[in-house]
């Protein structure tokens, strides 16, 4: 049967394949979504499908209330987190969630990632923030929707367009932006920065005073344009 939303599904599919290609998740962990704001539709990876077996046809399309519009599989268990972000953060066109080793380690420790090098500083002028730990009562309810609300709480005094990433305490990393195509790269470069930090040993790590900071009033460097929680256990 011909899909009415193939282009949207294809964008989500390509972003999900890049997660596996860049080593940002294992097995079926992690997910990427693409959002068509005009149509009010989200395309996201299905739950429990291995990346090497994922096809465009497997991608699930939903409306912002979580009703399946197209797809035969169950959508990612993190879908409700994505939907909260799409509903509440203006301008988003995609969300990516991964379980890269060290970023997940910081999330499990409920600690923000400090600015450790110029790659980090290219993307934002502060530490990668971390949400508060979820209460037992909240976790016992709608965990995924509550995860979205935890992120929103973390950004009450932050601009999500200036800091397009977060660690969810006890879970993992999320990024967002205008298109899903470039979000996996943000995850990969953040992974590179945290991996390099751990590779230095304690004696080689920069102190808080030595960490690079973007100068006030400057913007990120322009690059050339080019053509923890598993989903299912």
């Amino acid at each position: 049967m011909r899909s009415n939303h193939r282009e949207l599904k294809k964008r989500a599919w390509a972003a999900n394949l890049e997660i596996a290609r860049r080593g940002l998740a294992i097995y079926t962990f992690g997910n990427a979504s693409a959002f068509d704001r005009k149509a009010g539709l989200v395309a996201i990876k299905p739950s429990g499908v291995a990346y090497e077996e994922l096809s465009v046809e497997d991608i699930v399309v939903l409306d912002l209330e979580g009703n399946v519009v197209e797809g035969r599989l169950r959508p990612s268990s993190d879908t409700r987190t994505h939907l909260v972000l799409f509903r509440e953060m203006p301008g988003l066109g995609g969300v990516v969630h991964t379980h890269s080793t060290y970023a997940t380690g910081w999330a499990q420790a409920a600690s923000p990632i400090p600015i450790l090098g110029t790659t980090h500083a290219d993307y934002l002028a502060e530490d990668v923030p971390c949400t508060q730990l979820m209460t037992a009562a909240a976790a016992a309810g709608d965990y995924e929707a509550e995860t979205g609300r935890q992120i929103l709480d973390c950004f009450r005094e932050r601009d999500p367009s200036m800091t397009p990433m977060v660690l969810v305490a006890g879970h993992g990393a999320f990024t967002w932006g205008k298109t899903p195509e470039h979000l996996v790269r943000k995850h990969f470069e953040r992974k590179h920065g945290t991996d390099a930090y751990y590779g230095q040993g304690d004696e080689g790590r920069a102190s808080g005073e030595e960490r690079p900071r973007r100068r006030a009033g400057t913007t990120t460097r322009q690059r050339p344009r080019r053509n923890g929680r598993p989903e299912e256990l």
Side-chain angles (χ1 to χ4, degrees):
M1 187 170 117
R2 183 175 178 78
S3 169
N4 294 320
H5 311 289
R6 185 170 179 80
E7 285 307 309
L8 183 64
K9 293 171 72 169
K10 190 173 181 180
R11 292 173 64 201
W13 169 76
N16 277 287
L17 292 191
E18 193 70 4
I19 289 174
R21 188 176 296 120
R22 297 298 180 183
L24 295 169
I26 61 172
Y27 302 121
T28 65
F29 300 6
N31 40 72
S33 63
F35 182 37
D36 181 339
R37 188 166 292 275
K38 185 175 180 180
L41 297 176
V42 176
I44 194 166
K45 177 181 174 287
S47 181
V49 176
Y51 288 98
E52 63 270 19
E53 298 173 2
L54 186 66
S55 69
V56 176
E57 290 70 27
D58 292 331
I59 299 296
V60 184
V61 179
L62 311 95
D63 64 21
L64 284 175
E65 300 307 314
N67 301 305
V68 174
V69 174
E70 183 174 298
R72 56 187 175 78
L73 300 174
R74 185 159 53 98
S76 165
S77 58
D78 291 301
T79 295
R80 289 189 295 281
T81 304
H82 291 239
L83 296 179
V84 169
L85 300 183
F86 287 132
R87 286 196 301 263
E88 301 297 332
M89 288 184 176
L92 300 196
V95 172
V96 172
H97 167 50
T98 70
H99 287 265
S100 59
T101 302
Y102 290 124
T104 301
W106 286 88
Q108 296 294 327
S111 176
I113 301 176
I115 295 183
L116 304 172
T118 56
T119 301
H120 182 144
D122 277 349
Y123 284 101
L124 66 163
E126 65 165 316
D127 297 347
V128 177
C130 186
T131 69
Q132 295 294 312
L133 281 166
M134 193 179 297
T135 66
D142 188 339
Y143 178 88
E144 289 75 24
E146 187 61 35
T147 296
R149 289 189 283 271
Q150 292 282 105
I151 294 171
L152 295 179
D153 285 345
C154 186
F155 279 78
R156 290 195 184 283
E157 304 207 358
R158 289 185 177 91
D159 182 348
S161 68
M162 297 298 293
T163 305
M165 56 189 72
V166 72
L167 301 178
V168 173
H171 187 167
F174 286 81
T175 61
W176 50 80
K178 293 183 178 179
T179 66
E181 289 82 0
H182 297 103
L183 294 178
V184 178
R185 177 171 177 167
K186 287 182 185 178
H187 269 271
F188 181 69
E189 293 193 347
R190 179 175 56 195
K191 173 185 181 296
H192 174 76
T194 51
D195 288 1
Y197 176 72
Y198 274 97
Q200 291 174 38
D202 290 337
E203 69 284 354
R205 295 173 188 162
S207 69
E209 292 74 20
E210 295 168 332
R211 292 174 193 148
R213 299 278 173 177
R214 190 186 304 157
R215 295 190 304 276
T218 63
T219 59
T220 54
R221 291 187 292 182
Q222 297 298 307
R223 298 176 181 273
R225 292 177 180 267
R226 298 183 180 178
N227 289 1
R229 204 176 76 85
E231 270 189 19
E232 297 291 323
L233 291 176

